[in-house]
Amino acid sequence: MSSKSVDHSNEKGFHAGNPPKNEDALTDRYIENSWERCRDRYKISQHADVKFVSLTDSEFKERREPLEKLLSDSIGVFDKIRTLSKNSGYTVLITNEEGVAVKSFAESSVGHDLVAKGLRQGTLWSESIVGTNGVGTCLTECSPVTVYAEEHYGNNLQSFSCSAAPLISPDGTPFGAIDASTFANGNRLGQALALNMVCETADEIEALVFKDAYHNQRVVSFSVSPVVSITKALVAVNDSGTIVAATTPILLTLGCRDRYEIVGKKFQDVFNLSFEQLEAAGSGSVEHYMQVMGKPYKFHANFLQNNAYQIQSHQPRTATAKPLEVDSNLPVNTPLILAAGKEPTLLKQATRCQRIINKGISILLQGETGTGKEVWARALHNSSDRADKPFITLNCAAIPESLIESELFGYGAGTFTGGLKAGKMGKIQASDGGTLFLDEIGDMPLELQASLLRVLAESEIIPLGEHEPVGVSLNVICATHRDLKEYVARGEFREDLYYRIGGFQVTLPSLRQRSDQPVIIDKVLQALCLDEGEVDQVEIHPEAMDVLSQYSWPGNIRQLKNVLQYALCMKEGDMIRLDDLPDEVFSSEALLQKEHEDVNTVPPLRVLSIASDSGRLSEKEQLESILEQHRWVVTRAAKAMGVSRSTLHRKIKKYGLLSEDQLSEQ
């Protein structure tokens, strides 16, 4: 059959409202599913142009910011895909999980033409917006895919050929995609090279993210040759020899359809290989054979060199404030004790939890948003007999009501249009033998509360679309920031479920209520320095620590992390000072009162510059004095005060000190 006749048949199928067929059955299924979603779910008009969505500068910056570190760390990986872009006439897009192109490479004349057609940074490629396309369909199916010519749903996209692969996070969910697009010429089979290239690049990026996420665990790499320097088939293993995570390439090698086929199992049981064998190899690798899908498979395995155990051997730095006295009879360095810090009430709770954690008593964690409920839940899990089994989380407030049931219970094959063909294992079944952490349980719909209560009572589930129950060994930890007793009184939470999940209740104090604030601040700083690769020891100046300790912390530990991340970016040298702290921490009434009462102390310029409008600190006079000292040059005055120019302008306008056209910016 000639290429012309093939084109006619594809055109006929398109005008009939069906996607064109190709030789790849798997891709054909993806395209068919996507067209069905476009027509039935997204209600996108057929035989019409789709509209491109371009984000504003502020919207784009907001979407790109979470991926900045990744884009920086992956420069070496992107160099290869840039070569493809330059030499083969492709435009390469890196997107976030929404399909927003946060980075692009277009270094050829063809690439420039593609950019002019809309394939550029700052555009949105969600399938629900622009129909079937490489990025959007790849993210929806969570699988590599090529969308060629008439396979695109929109008329104005059918001159393109797009090959995309998902970027997978350690928990198996996509956090973005990488796409290589060009003009559709010749036939679809010619796009195999582009698809292979984006898949290879995605695997390398996944390995980078994985190694960063599990830098404090033992990471084992697998390769077909002892001389391979870059490996992407990785598993992370904890001290007890349990696999806690795995990358996509090793799952594909083993023929696993789901991460939990190996995650939560003993490394030696899965690979028939012991830590002693790997350790004996030193910096070399171990040649090993195992059966994979009934066939012998030879591979080379070795521990990746990381600083996890060197880090553990370091002594923690002394906090600025003297640690509180702790009962010497308490156990030390257990996950629960470490999570409690030096707070006496939490240490007491930790010892109680340690006694009941393996007794089948349900635990309910209560506390404000950001107080570390998930950290405490992980500590409970790691302190239990189930520590070597999966720890599965579900935030009931972060998932639409229509999806919570399928997330919890899973579903069978063919249950949903557009669902996974083989069905999907739910969170409850995935946590079998381990721990299921239900965060924000107070936001769970009432009708689903009844189903959860039955599961807790009977220890079995029935996946959606199935008829046979599946037995599960359950250990559920729940958490909420809501007053569940009040919700029960209002009829918004089942009373029987409340007593079922609240066998023992732990109230986590807010950060402002904790007596060990300096210890917590220093602990969080150490963790951030470790994550961001700070080589030198970073300390907090006593004046800055005093400000941080006096602040009310409405966002608790989560807000503290953000403040310290900002300070690490602003600092010069190895000391965080007052000027390195963001404006928000100087608004504490307690701090202002303290400075006002201490008449022998002159408040720092930074405190004066952004103090609340109490009038007690003569802010107007201070502003006038500083501006006069710097001849009313805003840039210099703002630098001296440690604030931004925009903040200083607001204060000048507030007190009517000078008309804006009389100020100098330089």
Side-chain angles (χ1 to χ4, degrees):
M1 182 181 289
S2 69
S3 61
K4 185 175 181 180
S5 62
V6 171
D7 287 341
H8 279 308
S9 65
N10 284 344
E11 185 178 344
K12 181 179 178 180
F14 170 71
H15 285 298
N18 300 312
K21 300 290 183 180
N22 61 72
E23 292 79 7
D24 187 334
L26 182 61
T27 300
D28 195 50
R29 190 192 75 198
Y30 288 156
I31 301 300
E32 287 183 0
N33 289 344
S34 178
W35 274 52
E36 184 176 329
R37 288 191 294 270
C38 292
R39 183 181 62 246
D40 300 337
R41 187 188 306 174
Y42 310 139
K43 308 299 182 184
I44 300 175
S45 299
Q46 292 184 356
H47 323 312
D49 290 349
V50 291
K51 293 183 179 180
F52 295 123
V53 175
S54 295
L55 276 65
T56 65
D57 290 344
S58 61
E59 290 172 333
F60 171 72
K61 183 179 179 181
E62 180 183 348
R63 299 315 196 279
R64 176 175 167 130
E65 190 171 359
L67 295 178
E68 285 288 2
K69 185 178 185 299
L70 171 68
L71 296 174
S72 174
D73 292 347
S74 306
I75 290 176
V77 178
F78 290 141
D79 279 345
K80 290 183 288 185
I81 203 89
R82 290 183 71 175
T83 302
L84 169 70
S85 166
K86 185 174 182 180
N87 298 335
S88 303
Y90 282 83
T91 284
V92 176
L93 300 179
I94 314 297
T95 81
N96 69 354
E97 74 280 3
E98 298 173 280
V100 175
V102 298
K103 182 72 175 176
S104 65
F105 302 107
E107 303 183 18
S108 67
S109 58
V110 174
H112 295 158
D113 291 341
L114 290 163
V115 169
K117 292 285 187 179
L119 293 168
R120 59 181 177 270
Q121 192 169 280
T123 48
L124 175 62
W125 294 93
S126 167
E127 188 184 70
S128 63
I129 302 297
V130 295
T132 307
N133 71 91
V135 168
T137 303
C138 154
L139 288 172
T140 303
E141 297 285 350
C142 196
S143 178
V145 64
T146 291
V147 181
Y148 184 77
E150 289 92 349
E151 291 172 347
H152 289 88
Y153 196 78
N155 283 352
N156 51 332
L157 299 182
Q158 293 180 8
S159 60
F160 300 143
S161 174
C162 306
S163 297
L167 302 176
I168 305 296
S169 63
D171 66 359
T173 58
F175 64 87
I178 180 167
D179 171 87
S181 295
T182 188
F183 289 110
N185 295 313
N187 62 65
R188 192 180 187 284
L189 296 177
Q191 307 311 308
L193 175 62
L195 186 61
N196 182 67
M197 178 63 81
V198 295
C199 287
E200 287 287 322
T201 305
D203 286 345
E204 289 186 45
I205 293 173
E206 180 181 353
L208 281 175
V209 173
F210 187 90
K211 286 184 280 189
D212 183 60
Y214 293 99
H215 65 272
N216 61 343
Q217 303 278 7
R218 293 174 183 259
V219 176
V220 184
S221 70
F222 300 87
S223 62
V224 295
S225 168
V227 298
V228 174
S229 59
I230 300 176
T231 57
K232 293 161 288 188
L234 309 170
V235 296
V237 188
N238 65 16
D239 287 337
S240 65
T242 301
I243 298 172
V244 295
T247 61
T248 303
I250 190 64
L251 296 173
L252 293 174
T253 298
L254 298 177
C256 298
R257 295 188 300 176
D258 191 288
R259 273 171 165 71
Y260 295 106
E261 291 183 38
I262 66 170
V263 171
K265 296 183 178 178
K266 292 291 186 181
F267 176 83
Q268 186 164 352
D269 294 343
V270 174
F271 294 99
N272 194 27
L273 182 66
S274 69
F275 276 7
E276 288 75 16
Q277 290 172 274
L278 292 172
E279 288 168 345
S283 60
S285 62
V286 174
E287 183 178 296
H288 190 66
Y289 291 85
M290 64 180 290
Q291 290 288 318
V292 176
M293 293 181 286
K295 297 181 180 179
Y297 175 64
K298 173 185 173 183
F299 62 87
H300 295 264
N302 67 287
F303 282 130
L304 283 186
Q305 295 298 316
N306 63 56
N307 58 357
Y309 296 94
Q310 295 161 358
I311 291 168
Q312 291 175 1
S313 66
H314 288 172
Q315 294 297 319
R317 300 197 303 276
T318 303
T320 305
K322 181 181 177 181
L324 301 173
E325 294 296 327
V326 181
D327 186 348
S328 59
N329 294 322
L330 290 175
V332 294
N333 293 332
T334 66
L336 275 169
I337 296 301
L338 292 174
K342 303 297 182 182
E343 172 62 35
T345 57
L346 283 181
L347 286 169
K348 186 175 181 180
Q349 296 280 44
T351 55
R352 289 177 174 177
C353 286
Q354 191 69 59
R355 293 177 180 177
I356 70 170
I357 189 63
N358 296 314
K359 303 299 183 181
I361 299 174
S362 57
I363 295 177
L364 174 64
L365 306 176
Q366 295 181 297
E368 296 176 7
T369 299
T371 50
K373 293 188 287 292
E374 182 171 348
V375 172
W376 193 267
R378 286 184 181 276
L380 287 166
H381 171 76
N382 292 332
S383 300
S384 73
D385 294 341
R386 300 168 176 252
D388 60 345
K389 298 296 190 293
F391 177 84
I392 308 298
T393 68
L394 178 69
N395 189 321
C396 301
I399 300 177
E401 285 190 18
S402 58
L403 298 180
I404 292 182
E405 190 172 13
S406 62
E407 284 291 320
L408 268 178
F409 299 101
Y411 56 86
T415 303
F416 297 115
T417 300
L420 297 178
K421 184 176 182 180
K424 181 181 178 181
M425 180 186 294
K427 300 283 189 180
I428 294 176
Q429 190 175 353
S431 74
D432 184 24
T435 298
L436 176 65
F437 175 52
L438 296 178
D439 200 7
E440 300 304 340
I441 186 72
D443 293 277
M444 178 175 283
L446 268 173
E447 58 270 23
L448 194 54
Q449 292 176 26
S451 300
L452 177 61
L453 184 64
R454 183 185 60 80
V455 171
L456 295 176
E458 300 175 5
S459 295
E460 62 180 24
I461 63 165
I462 301 178
L464 302 181
E466 298 287 348
H467 302 288
E468 294 298 322
V470 178
V472 287
S473 174
L474 273 178
N475 177 50
V476 179
I477 299 173
C478 298
T480 182
H481 74 282
R482 302 191 183 280
D483 185 347
L484 289 188
K485 287 185 177 179
E486 181 183 340
Y487 269 49
V488 169
R490 299 201 318 240
E492 296 178 10
F493 198 87
R494 291 183 63 106
E495 185 175 20
D496 45 3
L497 180 60
Y498 171 72
Y499 289 113
R500 169 72 70 169
I501 65 175
F504 180 69
Q505 299 185 18
V506 178
T507 300
L508 302 182
S510 63
L511 183 54
R512 63 183 172 274
Q513 295 171 327
R514 296 189 65 153
S515 57
D516 61 342
Q517 272 195 26
V519 177
I520 294 298
I521 291 169
D522 191 73
K523 183 178 179 180
V524 172
L525 177 62
Q526 290 181 52
L528 290 174
C529 289
L530 187 64
D531 290 342
E532 299 184 11
E534 285 281 352
V535 178
D536 297 324
Q537 178 174 309
V538 178
E539 297 181 348
I540 300 177
H541 191 278
E543 290 181 357
M545 179 63 83
D546 189 46
V547 169
L548 294 175
S549 299
Q550 293 290 336
Y551 183 58
S552 59
W553 298 111
N556 292 298
I557 294 175
R558 187 175 298 139
Q559 183 188 14
L560 171 63
K561 288 181 180 179
N562 294 335
V563 166
L564 291 179
Q565 281 179 322
Y566 176 92
L568 286 173
C569 293
M570 295 296 107
K571 72 175 178 62
E572 294 183 4
D574 56 4
M575 179 74 71
I576 292 177
R577 303 180 185 277
L578 276 177
D579 289 348
D580 301 323
L581 301 178
D583 295 357
E584 65 191 273
V585 300
F586 294 92
S587 62
S588 171
E589 289 296 333
L591 173 62
L592 295 174
Q593 181 65 38
K594 180 178 182 297
E595 294 290 356
H596 176 65
E597 291 173 351
D598 190 355
V599 294
N600 295 319
T601 302
V602 178
L605 289 178
R606 183 157 178 101
V607 177
L608 290 170
S609 66
I610 53 179
S612 65
D613 189 19
S614 63
R616 290 180 287 196
L617 295 176
S618 302
E619 185 178 42
K620 181 178 179 181
E621 288 78 7
Q622 290 288 339
L623 283 172
E624 286 180 317
S625 175
I626 295 167
L627 285 165
E628 286 174 0
Q629 290 174 28
H630 295 278
R631 299 182 180 181
W632 295 83
V633 177
V634 173
T635 302
R636 297 177 188 172
K639 184 176 181 181
M641 297 165 65
V643 300
S644 66
R645 288 183 299 171
S646 59
T647 298
L648 182 52
H649 275 294
R650 286 197 300 271
K651 293 296 183 183
I652 291 170
K653 184 176 181 180
K654 173 181 176 181
Y655 292 110
L657 296 180
L658 195 66
S659 61
E660 293 291 305
D661 58 0
Q662 291 177 276
L663 294 171
S664 171
E665 292 289 341
Q666 302 295 330

